[in-house]
Amino acid sequence: MYTTELKDKNQAPQSAAVVEDPARLEAFEARVAADDFIEPKDWMPEAYRKTLVRQISQHAHSEIVGMLPEGNWITRAPNLRRKAILLAKVQDEGGHGLYLYAAAETLGTSREEMIDALHSGRAKYSTIFNYPTLTWADIGAIGWLVDGAAIMNQVPLQRTSYGPYARAMVRICKEESFHQRQGYEIMTALAAGTDAQKRMAQDALNRWWWPSIMMFGPPDENSPNTAQSIRWRIKRETNDELRQKFIDVTVPQAEAIGLTVPDPDLTWNEARGSYDYGAIDWDEFYAVVRGEGPVAKERMQARVKAWEEGAWVREAAAAHAAKHQAREAAE
Ligand SMILES: [Fe+2]
Ligand SMILES: [Fe+2]
């Protein structure tokens, strides 16, 4: 899954930024412009560090919260093959969250701080996970559209300027393409099935299309951090560029399996070589960002419950590690 790098509550305004040493800043900018990777021990401007911590931790949270809507369907998968695939996919998302928390930790923020920010509602995660999964076709639609949108966003991040983030993204992208394929395969099977199955597939596309388009974040004119992030190569393409690419590859996929994208204004623009699309309901997007998504409260309750019930595992692992260290020290 992925993140749109949203403004967190209590985020310091840009004007509060520290004044950096101009010579160091210039050397840093030259390295970034030359496509050098920045590594954890290298000097970096405070604003770069903060933007990365926010983006990588939001990305990590999105992976972990993203396990919930699909995890709900593991026990209800229609057969053993589908269950095995879904289990593997949800485990992959857990792994993505862990690599990303580890990458964010190299910037000097602790795992506990990040988890606490998530559970207390200070940190954001992708708005898409605050929508419910009502039918099995939703599992298909999520893989196809949500993981499909994630790939669009994450492929350029393999060349993001921060080394640990870029390297985590290489493996994540390989796994995301499997996620997209399994989702599209579910949709293909349903769309070629009985009338009831076709209706289920179309209904899932109807509900997930617009939230998927919104996953790319606010339009460029309302995305104040984009220019700086592109200059520092934290981001390599803008929200609107990525959204357009996603629409252009996904519409023919829907047509190929006989489903209709729920946008009456969608038309091929010969001159641009791209699809024109209808107006996005940004009021809905910002409402979900503010935590008013249909199942936002349930998602956070499920996360906090899992964290609390898993306390004994963390304590047992820490006790085991301490015992080992003590034994090694004694030897
Ligand atoms: Fe993922
Ligand atoms: Fe995924």
Side-chain angles (χ1 to χ4, degrees), residues 1-2 59 63 92-93 96 147 154 172 176 179:
M1 302 306 175
Y2 99 121
H59 191 162
E63 301 283 354
D92 284 353
E93 306 299 6
H96 298 174
D147 293 89
Q154 290 172 356
I172 289 178
E176 293 303 349
H179 300 170

Side-chain angles (χ1 to χ4, degrees), residues 2-12 14 50-62 117-118 121-131 153 165 211 213-219 222-226 229 234-235 239 243 282 284-293:
Y2 99 121
T3 176
T4 48
E5 217 259 308
L6 301 159
K7 218 170 156 113
D8 282 345
K9 274 175 209 162
N10 311 326
Q11 187 183 321
Q14 293 287 352
K50 273 197 185 131
T51 302
L52 274 174
V53 166
R54 191 167 65 241
Q55 180 170 326
I56 301 172
S57 64
Q58 284 180 4
H59 191 162
H61 299 327
S62 300
L118 175 67
R122 278 177 290 127
K124 300 279 182 230
Y125 55 88
S126 184
T127 50
I128 196 91
F129 305 118
N130 289 333
Y131 291 87
N153 189 59
Y165 192 27
I213 299 298
M214 291 178 202
M215 272 176 75
F216 293 93
N222 292 334
S223 183
N225 296 335
T226 291
S229 285
I234 291 173
K235 254 176 119 141
N239 296 351
R243 185 171 7 252
W282 291 112
E284 174 181 326
F285 173 79
Y286 287 111
V288 180
V289 169
R290 284 194 305 272
E292 295 164 22

Side-chain angles (χ1 to χ4, degrees), residues 24-323:
R24 287 182 128 173
L25 188 59
E26 198 182 317
F28 170 86
E29 302 227 330
R31 281 188 65 193
V32 169
D35 268 335
D36 249 11
F37 282 123
I38 304 300
E39 297 298 338
K41 289 190 173 142
D42 294 345
W43 183 88
M44 63 186 82
E46 242 357 82
Y48 176 85
R49 185 187 299 276
K50 273 197 185 131
T51 302
L52 274 174
V53 166
R54 191 167 65 241
Q55 180 170 326
I56 301 172
S57 64
Q58 284 180 4
H59 191 162
H61 299 327
S62 300
E63 301 283 354
I64 299 291
V65 178
M67 297 169 78
L68 296 170
E70 292 177 294
N72 284 341
W73 279 90
I74 290 171
T75 54
R76 294 179 285 171
N79 57 49
L80 182 61
R81 177 173 171 269
R82 294 288 184 205
K83 190 195 286 259
I85 293 170
L86 185 57
L87 261 175
K89 185 210 190 263
V90 173
Q91 279 184 339
D92 284 353
E93 306 299 6
H96 298 174
L98 298 181
Y99 314 145
L100 290 164
Y101 282 129
E105 281 183 305
T106 64
L107 291 156
T109 177
S110 73
R111 180 93 49 114
E112 286 69 23
E113 278 171 71
M114 291 184 272
I115 302 276
D116 183 58
L118 175 67
H119 291 175
S120 65
R122 278 177 290 127
K124 300 279 182 230
Y125 55 88
S126 184
T127 50
I128 196 91
F129 305 118
N130 289 333
Y131 291 87
T133 39
L134 304 179
T135 71
W136 171 252
D138 289 19
I139 300 306
I142 289 179
W144 173 33
L145 302 174
V146 176
D147 293 89
I151 294 168
M152 234 7 118
N153 189 59
Q154 290 172 356
V155 163
L157 290 178
Q158 295 176 98
R159 294 178 299 118
T160 193
S161 58
Y162 189 56
Y165 192 27
R167 288 188 290 273
M169 222 38 73
V170 172
R171 174 160 174 184
I172 289 178
C173 281
K174 291 200 172 105
E175 293 177 344
E176 293 303 349
S177 70
F178 151 66
H179 300 170
Q180 194 272 349
R181 292 303 289 263
Q182 65 86 38
Y184 189 58
E185 198 210 3
I186 291 173
M187 294 303 267
T188 304
L190 290 173
T194 64
D195 286 348
Q197 287 173 322
K198 265 181 230 167
R199 275 198 303 276
M200 203 193 277
Q202 182 62 53
D203 168 63
L205 172 57
N206 292 349
R207 284 181 292 106
W208 289 93
W209 175 256
W210 290 104
S212 303
I213 299 298
M214 291 178 202
M215 272 176 75
F216 293 93
D220 294 346
E221 73 258 27
N222 292 334
S223 183
N225 296 335
T226 291
Q228 175 72 288
S229 285
I230 294 228
R231 204 158 75 93
W232 280 344
R233 311 223 165 158
I234 291 173
K235 254 176 119 141
R236 313 237 20 173
E237 286 172 82
T238 73
N239 296 351
D240 286 332
E241 285 165 0
L242 293 165
R243 185 171 7 252
Q244 182 72 61
K245 272 194 183 174
F246 173 75
I247 291 171
D248 290 347
V249 303
T250 310
V251 171
Q253 292 170 354
E255 283 168 358
I257 56 173
L259 297 180
T260 308
V261 172
D263 178 357
D265 297 323
L266 194 70
T267 42
W268 177 252
N269 183 323
E270 194 63 54
R272 286 201 307 124
S274 266
Y275 283 93
D276 291 334
Y277 52 93
I280 297 172
D281 182 356
W282 291 112
D283 291 342
E284 174 181 326
F285 173 79
Y286 287 111
V288 180
V289 169
R290 284 194 305 272
E292 295 164 22
V295 291
K297 285 206 179 69
E298 277 148 86
R299 295 286 183 249
M300 240 356 81
Q301 279 162 3
R303 272 312 318 151
V304 172
K305 183 168 177 274
W307 179 254
E308 285 168 357
E309 288 178 357
W312 70 272
V313 179
R314 295 189 296 277
E315 284 158 17
H320 182 73
K323 204 166 82 183

